[in-house]
Amino acid sequence: MKILAVCGMGFGSSMVLRMTIESVLKELGVKAAVATADIGSAKAETADIIVTSTEFAPLLKDKGVPILEIKNYVDKQEMKQKLAPLLPV
Amino acid sequence: MHSESWIAQIRSLRPRAQQIFQELMQRSEPVTTEELARRYQRSDRSIRYDLEALATACEAMPVRLVHRRSGVWLEDTPEAKLTLRHQWSAVQGTVQMAAADRRLHRLLAVLLTTPEPIVVKQVQDWLEASLRTIYADMDRADLWLASHGLRLIRKPHYGAKVEGDELIRRQAAFRLLLAACGWTASNDAGNEGQRLLDIVRQHVDPFVKRRLLEESDLLAMARALRWNPASEMRFGSWWAKVALYGAVTCQRIRLGYPVDLFKPNVNALRETTEFSFAVQVAERLEQMLSLTWSEEEVIALALHMLGAYPNLHLEGSAQNTANLDDFSRNWVSRMLAAVDDALGMRLGADEELFRGLAFHVKPMIHRWLLGISIENDLLDEIREDHALAYYAAVVAAQFLERVFGQPLAAAEVGYMALHFGAALERRWARPKGAVGTVRALVVCAGGIGTGKILQSRIGASVTNLQVVDVLDQSRVHQAPTRSVDVIVSTVELHDAPVPHIVVNPLLPTEDERRLQRWVTEVTGGPEGVGGAAAALAEPMFQLIQQTCQVGDERAVREEIQRMLRRVAPYLTVPSPPVESVRKKVLRMLDVLTEECVQVRARAERPDDVVDLAGRLLVDAGAVEPGYVSAMKSSLAINGPYMVIVPGIAILHARPEDGVHRVCMSLVTLEQGVSFGHPDNDPVDIAIAFGAIDHEAHLQALSDLMRLLADAEALTAIRQAQSTGRVLDIIRRVTA
């Protein structure tokens, strides 16, 4: 299972996203690799789930994997709500 | 007559004739043909053939073979016989070894080319040895085949048979030919087909040669290779090896054993320049030999071309990234991405590293796929002294191993580490002082890697030495050396045009000091002393003045200068240790200093907010003014996604947009500004940061997250009236 956190440049927001994702995964006891990417290279990356903002989501639609649109990057509740249904039990 | 020549004469005989010669030399009585036949379990007739051959060989020697009814013996003067025996006993071991090797080679040639199982009795005639000896030979053949990736199946009532991939089998046949020719002999072939054939005829047992290749194929292959000007540039040994391999391939195709390339990544080979060359060679061969080469055969030939010579550089191409083929670009960029990801560096942006690896990686991948091993004498040193570079190379190797599904040899990893090491040195290289600079040319044996790393080592640790170019040994004399003061070389040079010194390419401390001393000596020393030593001059003079009555001040100062010049090499500041640079963990409050916080500012548009937060970083000297405009254009291009939490915008651009150090600023706004975010507007806290890579700012970012997740603390920050208050809140949250 690979989760890709995507932002504009791959240095800031996606790192924040990754940390939120990782702490949610830890809470749920699920093991998965979390990678970060900027929007440009994200198009070439493979992933099982993509987590990003509402703006970037449409740009990644054609990758054919579930895309989570996150409003508050540090809100674990929001993340858990959106991510949990997609994770293997 | 020289001992070498008569020994060569004897060695050219079949093994049994050699044994008879040895026996005759040791006895004074005649021995009959019948007796010899009985002893060697052979017919009288085959013994007589041996004796005839022996008699011919003896014509060039100071002994004569006499054959009478009473038997045969060697006739000579006692002195001659003694000399012969003396010389013979000295090489006896070698000769017996040679006979055993010949049996082994014959056995291998049979095993490699016979699809059916072979029983020992069948080969007895070809090997001219007893059954027991052949069983022992079979054991040796088993070992040899195993070390070449093949398996010898041996079963009673079945015989022995080689099992393995056709590609590996050919590779083994090729290796057998090379072993027989001797590696050095194949170097001498130049690129003359006839010369190569002569060498093969001279060194390879005709029996082995017949089984492995056709002479006409070898000549045709040589012509096909010559026809392409690209091959002219290759080294003689490369050329000879490809020709030999091609001839083996022709024979196998003709006999109906096609190569089976099921390795999934072999397809990537179609992008290499070697593949297009192999296509041309194959077309040419088809015309000359009316032999059809399938595409798989062409790929196999390309594989061999890539693997046959480790440092495959076409003239001039190393300087030009545009000449890299897609194959190399593709693998290197993916490899560097993996390294950057794992180490949090941006080595991928280092063009020199990219180029160096690209030229290295292609032959390496193919050596690897073919199972060709190389040596690396520097391996231990690289591991010890350049741990981070080695680690980077290991990460790169792990990426390749995942793709190709097999482990990569440490020697290969070590060579990659040389390139990474040079790149790391470039990152930490200190700026060079231009005054009193000595211009140096770095010369290495041939590979690009060692020269490059030496260049970087010099740049990082030797003051006053500026490397103007890196050349391989063979091009020293062609290079314009007028602008060069000295040569620093990794190999001994003859007739160097300017003074030169030989050092270890990794420049260990003692070499570094030796080099520094030498440079000072050769160039007559700089006028004054620089760096750490210069700073000592004045305090020393003052110290002397405090305790002594200085008579001639100028003389004392000159004496101090002279002394400092001598010790200057020992006072060079070592480049910052790689580990300590990396291990420093920056917390949020390490980078968000008081001067970088502003409370209750006023702004109308998003750009004003970026200006406010960016200004703080510029004033702190942490970023270039250009970084602020880069943040603005990022906002314009990527949209307001950076408002990642309600009311809070995280502003940043890329490290290369002008970041000097990891930094952060925080601005609270009296009135919220709308960024256009659907959910999180308006923004009343802006946090700007600058990263230098993917990693160094992560702890600070993690602290920031804790702050962003703490609604209470955020409310308190919004209300804070002083920067001190803001920092207090953050200190509490991130503690």
Side-chain angles (χ1 to χ4, degrees):
Chain A
M1 165 71 72
K2 181 179 168 187
I3 303 173
L4 189 64
V6 180
C7 73
M9 279 165 287
F11 287 92
S13 320
S14 60
M15 298 276 191
V16 173
L17 266 182
R18 187 177 86 185
M19 292 176 195
T20 310
I21 295 168
E22 276 171 349
S23 65
V24 166
L25 287 174
K26 203 170 159 190
E27 232 174 83
L28 296 171
V30 177
K31 281 213 163 83
V34 187
T36 60
D38 63 74
I39 181 69
S41 55
K43 289 169 188 160
E45 284 275 330
T46 58
D48 301 305
I49 300 172
I50 293 176
V51 183
T52 187
S53 68
T54 317
E55 298 165 75
F56 293 134
L59 302 174
L60 298 165
K61 277 278 188 285
D62 53 351
K63 289 189 70 77
V65 297
I67 300 176
L68 303 188
E69 298 173 17
I70 300 296
K71 287 178 182 160
N72 184 334
Y73 279 32
V74 299
D75 187 341
K76 288 187 198 167
Q77 282 310 317
E78 182 188 354
M79 185 67 76
K80 206 194 293 186
Q81 219 172 29
K82 290 179 177 169
L83 188 59
L86 296 172
L87 294 173
V89 198
Chain B
M1 159 160 229
H2 283 295
S3 60
E4 289 82 14
S5 18
W6 74 258
I7 285 165
Q9 284 271 358
I10 298 295
R11 280 181 62 175
S12 69
L13 300 174
R14 17 161 101 211
R16 198 173 49 238
Q18 292 183 33
Q19 283 169 5
I20 294 172
F21 174 77
Q22 191 181 349
E23 189 173 340
L24 292 178
M25 217 171 30
Q26 274 158 2
R27 59 188 298 157
S28 42
E29 298 299 304
V31 57
T32 61
T33 323
E34 293 75 23
E35 199 184 328
L36 287 172
R38 206 169 40 248
R39 198 166 320 142
Y40 289 99
Q41 300 173 343
R42 279 285 172 275
S43 66
D44 288 4
R45 197 154 93 202
S46 46
I47 294 294
R48 242 174 272 129
Y49 283 139
D50 291 336
L51 290 174
E52 273 167 30
L54 202 51
T56 318
C58 286
E59 278 167 15
M61 293 162 57
V63 292
R64 202 160 62 88
L65 185 82
V66 186
H67 199 167
R68 297 274 183 274
R69 198 178 290 166
S70 54
V72 288
W73 67 91
L74 287 175
E75 195 176 80
D76 49 25
T77 63
E79 294 83 10
K81 203 164 184 172
L82 194 69
T83 319
L84 281 189
R85 262 165 73 172
H86 189 69
Q87 291 172 345
W88 178 257
S89 65
V91 293
Q92 200 176 7
T94 329
V95 172
Q96 275 168 356
M97 182 74 90
D101 273 353
R102 187 147 83 160
R103 285 200 313 276
L104 176 66
H105 285 186
R106 287 190 169 193
L107 182 58
L108 286 169
V110 172
L111 287 169
L112 284 171
T113 52
T114 315
E116 304 86 30
I118 295 159
V119 289
V120 167
K121 274 210 162 32
Q122 282 176 282
V123 287
Q124 198 180 6
D125 250 13
W126 295 322
L127 298 177
E128 299 165 343
S130 69
L131 287 178
R132 179 190 290 219
T133 310
I134 295 174
Y135 280 119
D137 288 343
M138 205 60 105
D139 290 339
R140 286 182 71 204
D142 199 345
L143 276 178
W144 191 94
L145 290 165
S147 71
H148 288 77
L150 292 166
R151 213 155 74 86
L152 186 63
I153 315 281
R154 295 162 78 181
K155 281 186 222 156
H157 313 297
Y158 170 81
K161 185 187 152 183
V162 171
E163 222 180 56
D165 200 72
E166 171 66 19
L167 188 67
I168 311 287
R169 189 185 285 258
R170 280 186 204 173
Q171 188 69 25
F174 162 73
R175 290 260 158 176
L176 182 59
L177 279 171
L178 264 195
C181 288
W183 290 87
T184 43
S186 65
N187 273 329
D188 298 337
N191 54 5
E192 280 294 326
Q194 190 57 47
R195 271 204 68 185
L196 180 59
L197 182 57
D198 287 345
I199 287 171
V200 170
R201 280 183 181 154
Q202 192 186 334
H203 290 86
V204 183
D205 184 348
F207 178 90
V208 173
K209 189 196 68 189
R210 258 200 320 278
R211 291 215 151 231
L212 300 184
L213 58 81
E214 289 277 348
E215 293 191 346
S216 54
D217 288 347
L218 186 61
L219 288 174
M221 186 68 202
R223 273 207 301 279
L225 279 174
R226 250 170 83 91
W227 168 74
N228 186 301
S231 65
E232 300 282 334
M233 294 183 217
R234 310 297 173 103
F235 293 83
S237 62
W238 182 90
W239 182 88
K241 283 169 195 169
V242 174
L244 274 178
Y245 182 80
V248 170
T249 301
C250 288
Q251 173 91 316
R252 296 300 288 175
I253 295 176
R254 191 174 292 115
L255 293 175
Y257 300 108
V259 73
D260 180 20
L261 291 175
F262 49 85
K263 291 192 178 88
N265 292 296
V266 159
N267 269 341
L269 267 175
R270 289 196 178 80
E271 297 162 16
T272 61
T273 44
E274 282 73 13
F275 177 72
S276 41
F277 183 29
V279 169
Q280 293 169 2
V281 171
E283 277 171 6
R284 187 90 175 144
L285 274 177
E286 285 184 2
Q287 288 167 17
M288 286 189 281
L289 299 172
S290 63
L291 201 65
T292 312
W293 280 56
S294 70
E295 194 181 16
E296 285 194 320
E297 296 292 353
V298 178
I299 292 178
L301 181 64
L303 255 175
H304 187 81
M305 286 175 171
L306 283 155
Y309 192 75
N311 294 319
L312 194 65
H313 295 301
L314 285 178
E315 191 71 20
S317 58
Q319 310 301 323
N320 190 354
T321 319
N323 285 358
L324 285 176
D325 52 33
D326 292 342
F327 179 84
S328 311
R329 282 175 186 286
N330 180 19
W331 286 113
V332 173
S333 53
R334 290 173 65 185
M335 208 164 75
L336 285 178
V339 172
D340 281 353
D341 204 31
L343 300 182
M345 294 180 169
R346 290 182 55 80
L347 291 174
D350 187 327
E351 255 186 65
E352 234 173 296
L353 174 66
F354 189 93
R355 223 171 22 235
L357 278 176
F359 281 103
H360 181 82
V361 93
K362 189 163 73 165
M364 183 190 85
I365 288 179
H366 301 95
R367 278 200 296 279
W368 186 27
L369 286 179
L370 278 177
I372 295 172
S373 60
I374 55 165
E375 308 230 316
N376 190 339
D377 298 336
L378 296 169
L379 186 58
D380 288 342
E381 236 171 305
I382 294 168
R383 276 180 178 153
E384 209 160 291
D385 300 343
H386 298 262
L388 185 63
Y390 189 74
Y391 179 61
V394 166
V395 172
Q398 281 169 346
F399 163 74
L400 291 176
E401 284 171 354
R402 275 199 303 279
V403 175
F404 291 93
Q406 56 190 32
L408 186 63
E412 297 281 13
V413 179
Y415 279 118
M416 285 203 289
L418 285 179
H419 291 279
F420 282 111
L424 290 174
E425 294 275 2
R426 278 193 289 278
R427 280 170 68 105
W428 281 294
R430 70 169 78 145
K432 290 178 197 72
V435 187
T437 305
V438 177
R439 294 166 63 83
L441 179 68
V442 164
V443 173
C444 60
I448 299 290
T450 50
K452 287 285 179 201
I453 198 166
L454 178 56
Q455 176 185 23
S456 303
R457 291 286 299 129
I458 291 173
S461 55
V462 182
T463 51
N464 288 337
L465 198 59
Q466 188 203 344
V467 177
V468 292
D469 204 358
V470 180
L471 286 180
D472 77 57
Q473 194 178 355
S474 60
R475 291 170 52 203
V476 171
H477 292 281
Q478 299 158 17
T481 43
R482 245 173 316 169
S483 57
V484 174
D485 303 315
V486 295
I487 291 179
V488 184
S489 174
T490 63
V491 285
E492 192 62 54
L493 298 174
H494 300 289
D495 313 322
V498 293
H500 81 285
I501 186 172
V502 179
V503 296
N504 179 315
L506 299 176
L507 208 63
T509 317
E510 65 266 33
D511 272 23
E512 182 187 320
R513 288 187 179 152
R514 195 162 57 84
L515 176 60
Q516 186 83 67
R517 273 199 304 277
W518 178 79
V519 170
T520 314
E521 244 169 59
V522 167
T523 57
E527 281 305 304
V529 279
L536 287 175
E538 193 51 36
M540 280 176 81
F541 181 75
Q542 282 171 9
L543 194 68
I544 293 167
Q545 237 179 356
Q546 275 167 26
T547 46
C548 312
Q549 186 76 32
V550 177
D552 186 346
E553 185 182 323
R554 223 183 94 196
V556 172
R557 285 191 185 277
E558 271 176 17
E559 195 55 44
I560 290 175
Q561 284 292 327
R562 254 199 298 283
M563 193 210 77
L564 285 176
R565 265 204 294 279
R566 279 198 303 276
V567 300
Y570 303 99
L571 292 172
T572 51
V573 188
S575 49
V578 166
E579 299 305 326
S580 70
V581 170
R582 294 193 45 75
K583 275 184 187 151
K584 175 126 178 68
V585 173
L586 294 169
R587 301 293 304 260
M588 183 169 172
L589 285 180
D590 291 331
V591 295
L592 181 69
T593 50
E594 186 157 9
E595 53 182 348
C596 291
V597 180
Q598 190 181 352
V599 291
R600 308 201 73 80
R602 285 167 187 274
E604 278 181 20
R605 296 167 303 123
D607 272 2
D608 301 339
V609 180
V610 178
D611 272 332
L612 280 170
R615 188 78 243 158
L616 295 174
L617 296 180
V618 175
D619 287 348
V623 298
E624 293 286 326
Y627 189 73
V628 183
S629 1
M631 286 197 286
K632 281 186 199 164
S633 44
S634 166
L635 182 62
I637 293 165
N638 293 317
Y641 82 95
M642 52 264 288
V643 190
I644 63 171
V645 171
I648 300 178
I650 305 291
L651 309 166
H652 70 100
R654 293 174 182 278
E656 58 269 33
D657 292 325
V659 180
H660 296 308
R661 55 179 157 88
V662 180
C663 55
M664 198 180 274
S665 69
L666 187 151
V667 177
T668 64
L669 300 170
E670 209 155 67
Q671 292 214 317
V673 173
S674 173
F675 271 57
H677 193 284
D679 306 296
N680 297 339
D681 267 348
V683 171
D684 56 1
I685 298 179
I687 295 164
F689 76 87
I692 52 167
D693 54 32
H694 275 86
E695 203 180 60
H697 63 298
L698 283 190
Q699 184 55 48
L701 215 53
S702 167
D703 290 340
L704 174 61
M705 271 190 65
R706 286 167 70 182
L707 177 68
L708 296 182
D710 191 328
E712 215 172 288
L714 289 177
T715 309
I717 285 180
R718 286 185 168 104
Q719 290 163 354
Q721 299 287 337
S722 73
T723 56
R725 170 85 183 124
V726 171
L727 291 174
D728 281 344
I729 296 164
I730 295 173
R731 192 167 297 119
R732 212 185 55 233
V733 174
T734 60

